[in-house]
Amino acid sequence: MTPHVSTFETAEPALLELLTHIHTGKAQLPDFQRGWVWDDTHIRSLIASISRSFPIGAVMTMAVGENVRFRPRHFEGAKEAEGKQPEVLVLDGQQRLTSMYLSLFSKGPVKTQNEKNQEIFRYYYLDIAKCLDPTEDRFDAVVSIPETKKLTSDFGRKINLDLSTREHEYEQGMYPLPAIFDPAAHMEWTNGYKLHHQHEQTKTQLIDQFNMEIWLPFQQYKVPVIRLTKETPKEAVCQVFEAVNTGGVSLSVFELLTATFASDNFHLRDDWESKKKTLYDIPALKGVDESSYLTAITLLTSYQKQQSTNSAVSCKRKDVLNLSLSEYQENSTLIIKGLKDAAQLLAKEKIFDIKNIPYQTQMIPLSAICAFLGQKLQNDTIKSKIMQWYWCGVLGELYGGANETRYALDITGVLSWLNGGEIPATIRDANFSPLRLLTLQSRNSAAYKGIMALLMKKGCCDFVNGDPVDIQTYFDQAIDIHHIFPKAYCEKQKYRRELWNSVINKAPLSSRTNRVIGGYKPSTYIESIQKQEKISPDRLDEIFLSHLIDPGKIRSDDFAGFIEHRAGELLTIIEQAMGKTISGRDSEEYLREIKRIQ
């Protein structure tokens, strides 16, 4: 049995040592760390805590090694560290260490923020008298002053505190914090203070007391450090980072992989941004983010490996993090092509933009399948099978939760099926309950979007202009989903909301047609369409049939008959899309609910 090897160790270096390592570049940040954002109040509070030897929390670092390679960047203001290779990277403690480095070690003004999040520049001082007065709040002894080193009021006309010269600092008893870890600067300042006050006994005693009670504790202050060793795997580093940064925004795999690839001088973000421009020219692909993109590449890469090694297909977080640069470069272009091919397939199904894509997540396996097939995707039988799988995922509502396992099942199952294997799990598992029609009330539901796309694919035409929906009319005429029996009319008749607001009473129509419909009952707006638009009753009946609407029912305002008939028609096109029979269409429960209009 292999003995357990610890992946971390603990230490308690002096604060001065930590800040020196930041200054020299021995300690840096992994490139995925976000920028320093602490405001002036946080900085003053931190300084006050250190001055009283209060704990400020542990810092976590990671030893730099071959096992985990991230592109480093130096701490804010640590210009001496530019171009240096670090020995450790700081995973937790960036805000505290940067605040301490800039206010206590750096010689320039600190760029920070005020309480209104406005950018300001500040120098920090300790009010000697207040530091030594036990009745004073130590926070009030930490003085923040603008880069002019003058505190003013009355729109700058009145100077309340002037520390622009050494003599003014001595006179006001304000100790400059950048001197606290610089022995020569500290000695010069304290001697200058005594000389300025002509070695007056009370002033000399005051600065000596300050050195003992304030300056010396800064020199002795220690910070607990947890050090992850070189043996710590990348996945563990990422988990640890997120665990200690729960107060911030979750760190994405894209940011982590960007930092990893940067160590090989490859700029992942720039590469993605250039590829994204070509994707986002296609409205249906505007929802593809960097995480989906990397997951699709990992899924394709893993499937390719399975073909030669018979390994398991997986595209979970740890798999994305282990994606090599060469694998990314080999498959990123294939996935971009796969995404565009997937968008073409969806366009033929009348899914044209991100608003009406049922499941954004299903684009991941669809794009990987398209990428792997390449030219084979031109085969009609292959396309038909892929779309059967797609519609089973949508109408069976199988992509609503955590999906990495299903991605792997789908790419292996679908591609095996295309080669004569068994029906994939998504098709086998998919089921649509007839009563689901009543609960599909809004575009938030994948199946709701899917049914509207199926109506457009079937050739439904606009009530007023008679045009079928294609990509041009979809955008030019602002096609959207509207009520057939209008909401206002249904509410007045006290019809069940579950019926009139369901997908059964919805249709893809132009914005102009929706204005014509208004809140009128169907017989009224039908008469208006026939008279004002000069559309013959026979032609309008053809249009109604294209929407699976019984012309007789809608012309007579027969809401109950309309609902029952159209629900049955919708179930039929759902069966056709899924390639499966829907059970329960004739059940007593379904028929009772579909006929109960009030």
Side-chain angles (χ1 to χ4, degrees):
M1 185 175 177
T2 305
H4 174 72
V5 178
S6 177
T7 57
F8 71 93
E9 57 192 24
T10 59
E12 211 173 48
L15 173 59
L16 174 59
E17 181 184 343
L18 279 178
L19 299 184
T20 301
H21 287 173
I22 290 171
H23 187 72
T24 60
K26 286 185 177 181
Q28 296 187 36
L29 297 164
D31 197 44
F32 57 73
Q33 280 271 37
R34 293 175 178 83
W36 177 67
V37 294
W38 266 23
D39 60 27
D40 180 60
T41 300
H42 274 93
I43 295 172
R44 289 176 62 204
S45 179
L46 181 70
I47 294 168
S49 293
I50 297 170
S51 74
R52 300 193 67 182
S53 298
F54 289 171
I56 58 169
V59 168
M60 183 175 292
T61 65
M62 173 186 67
V64 174
E66 288 300 314
N67 198 34
V68 179
R69 297 173 61 209
F70 293 125
R71 183 180 184 179
R73 63 178 173 85
H74 60 75
F75 275 76
E76 183 94 13
K79 295 180 180 180
E80 295 292 323
E82 289 184 10
K84 306 288 178 59
Q85 285 302 309
E87 294 179 2
V88 298
L89 298 176
V90 174
L91 295 180
D92 185 35
Q94 176 197 6
Q95 304 297 328
R96 286 165 288 155
L97 289 175
T98 305
S99 297
M100 289 185 283
Y101 177 76
L102 291 174
S103 60
L104 305 178
F105 212 89
S106 174
K107 303 301 182 183
V110 180
K111 183 175 74 171
T112 181
Q113 297 176 341
N114 61 18
E115 64 279 359
K116 297 180 180 179
N117 296 324
Q118 297 168 327
E119 184 180 275
I120 56 175
F121 291 84
R122 289 290 186 265
Y123 285 100
Y124 292 90
Y125 286 82
L126 289 177
D127 184 320
I128 295 172
K130 286 186 177 180
C131 281
L132 299 174
D133 185 344
T135 66
E136 289 283 354
D137 189 325
R138 185 59 58 85
F139 177 83
D140 295 330
V142 181
V143 178
S144 164
I145 194 165
E147 58 185 328
T148 60
K149 294 194 174 183
K150 294 179 181 179
L151 279 177
T152 62
S153 60
D154 193 20
F155 301 100
R157 288 189 286 267
K158 181 181 178 182
I159 298 176
N160 299 321
L161 180 62
D162 184 353
L163 301 178
S164 58
T165 67
R166 275 281 185 259
E167 286 69 25
H168 289 334
E169 292 175 355
Y170 300 147
E171 187 63 33
Q172 299 293 335
M174 292 288 178
Y175 179 86
L177 273 166
I180 207 153
F181 286 127
D182 183 336
H186 174 72
M187 182 65 70
E188 179 187 352
W189 197 92
T190 52
N191 287 338
Y193 177 85
K194 292 177 181 179
L195 184 62
H196 176 82
H197 292 286
Q198 299 179 348
H199 294 278
E200 197 269 321
Q201 185 177 4
T202 57
K203 294 295 184 181
T204 298
Q205 290 175 343
L206 191 70
I207 193 65
D208 288 343
Q209 184 184 357
F210 174 83
N211 285 338
M212 288 297 296
E213 296 183 15
I214 307 297
W215 178 83
L216 186 59
F218 268 93
Q219 315 308 309
Q220 298 172 336
Y221 193 88
K222 296 183 182 295
V223 180
V225 174
I226 301 169
R227 296 172 176 166
L228 301 185
T229 64
K230 296 180 180 180
E231 289 73 29
T232 307
K234 184 190 297 183
E235 184 185 3
V237 171
C238 299
Q239 288 178 347
V240 167
F241 179 85
E242 292 205 330
V244 298
N245 283 275
T246 52
V249 180
S250 179
L251 190 69
S252 73
V253 291
F254 184 83
E255 291 171 305
L256 292 165
L257 212 58
T258 296
T260 301
F261 287 173
S263 64
D264 291 318
N265 203 32
F266 181 83
H267 303 292
L268 176 59
R269 186 171 295 281
D270 293 343
D271 190 64
W272 160 242
E273 290 295 332
S274 66
K275 288 182 167 69
K276 183 172 73 173
K277 288 178 182 177
T278 68
L279 286 182
Y280 284 13
D281 286 338
I282 303 170
L285 297 179
K286 288 185 177 180
V288 178
D289 60 13
E290 54 264 48
S291 177
S292 301
Y293 166 68
L294 288 178
T295 303
I297 293 171
T298 305
L299 181 62
L300 177 60
T301 302
S302 183
Y303 181 76
Q304 290 169 336
K305 288 179 180 177
Q306 187 207 48
Q307 301 308 290
S308 57
T309 64
N310 203 31
S311 56
V313 176
S314 180
C315 60
K316 294 182 179 179
R317 179 184 175 87
K318 65 180 178 60
D319 304 302
V320 179
L321 290 172
N322 287 326
L323 190 70
S324 71
L325 178 57
S326 61
E327 289 168 342
Y328 170 84
Q329 291 174 316
E330 278 180 32
N331 286 329
S332 61
T333 303
L334 288 176
I335 285 297
I336 294 296
K337 177 66 165 55
L339 284 163
K340 292 178 179 179
D341 287 342
Q344 282 190 335
L345 288 177
L346 295 187
K348 291 175 182 176
E349 304 297 306
K350 306 300 181 179
I351 300 172
F352 300 119
D353 61 1
I354 180 176
K355 181 175 69 173
N356 288 309
I357 286 185
Y359 283 122
Q360 190 63 49
T361 50
Q362 202 172 359
M363 293 296 289
I364 292 172
L366 179 58
S367 63
I369 289 167
C370 291
F372 187 82
L373 288 172
Q375 289 300 313
K376 292 180 182 178
L377 197 60
Q378 301 307 313
N379 181 280
D380 183 65
T381 301
I382 286 176
K383 284 191 289 187
S384 296
K385 284 189 169 184
I386 289 174
M387 293 323 300
Q388 182 186 354
W389 158 78
Y390 180 80
W391 284 117
C392 282
V394 170
L395 298 166
E397 298 181 283
L398 297 175
Y399 271 83
N403 297 303
E404 290 88 352
T405 301
R406 187 164 293 279
Y407 298 157
L409 284 173
D410 278 339
I411 192 171
T412 54
V414 171
L415 291 174
S416 172
W417 183 44
L418 295 177
N419 284 322
E422 295 181 356
I423 290 175
T426 291
I427 295 179
R428 187 182 66 245
D429 297 343
N431 178 54
F432 188 90
S433 168
L435 285 170
R436 182 69 174 116
L437 289 176
L438 301 181
T439 58
L440 293 174
Q441 299 275 320
S442 74
R443 192 182 269 112
N444 293 333
S445 306
Y448 177 100
K449 297 180 186 179
I451 291 170
M452 289 299 110
L454 290 177
L455 282 167
M456 291 188 282
K457 181 185 178 185
K458 188 169 179 60
C460 64
C461 300
D462 188 71
F463 287 5
V464 170
N465 61 46
D467 291 337
V469 180
D470 58 27
I471 193 164
Q472 185 169 348
T473 58
Y474 177 82
F475 289 106
D476 290 350
Q477 297 176 19
I479 302 297
D480 207 345
I481 301 167
H482 300 291
H483 293 92
I484 299 167
F485 277 72
K487 172 183 176 181
Y489 171 75
C490 291
E491 288 180 331
K492 187 176 180 181
Q493 298 300 118
K494 300 189 184 320
Y495 293 147
R496 286 173 60 203
R497 181 182 178 88
E498 290 88 342
L499 292 177
W500 66 254
N501 196 49
S502 74
V503 72
I504 305 169
N505 187 39
K506 303 284 183 67
L509 298 168
S510 68
S511 57
R512 181 185 171 211
T513 295
N514 188 50
R515 289 193 297 273
V516 171
I517 290 173
Y520 305 110
K521 62 184 178 181
S523 59
T524 299
Y525 72 68
I526 288 171
E527 184 179 357
S528 176
I529 290 172
Q530 290 177 170
K531 285 184 177 180
Q532 295 182 16
E533 306 298 330
K534 310 299 183 187
I535 297 178
S536 71
D538 288 346
R539 173 55 182 151
L540 192 53
D541 285 352
E542 288 178 5
I543 291 173
F544 288 144
L545 288 170
S546 76
H547 283 270
L548 309 180
I549 297 170
D550 184 317
K553 307 293 187 195
I554 192 171
R555 285 182 178 278
S556 62
D557 299 324
D558 181 2
F559 181 73
F562 159 79
I563 288 290
E564 185 177 355
H565 172 268
R566 195 164 193 254
E569 293 293 299
L570 291 178
L571 291 176
T572 297
I573 65 169
I574 290 169
E575 286 181 331
Q576 292 168 351
M578 296 176 71
K580 303 179 74 171
T581 301
I582 294 175
S583 62
R585 293 185 59 166
D586 300 319
S587 70
E588 183 179 333
E589 181 186 13
Y590 167 68
L591 294 174
R592 182 179 64 249
E593 288 300 311
I594 211 73
K595 291 178 179 180
R596 186 167 61 89
I597 67 169
Q598 290 181 323

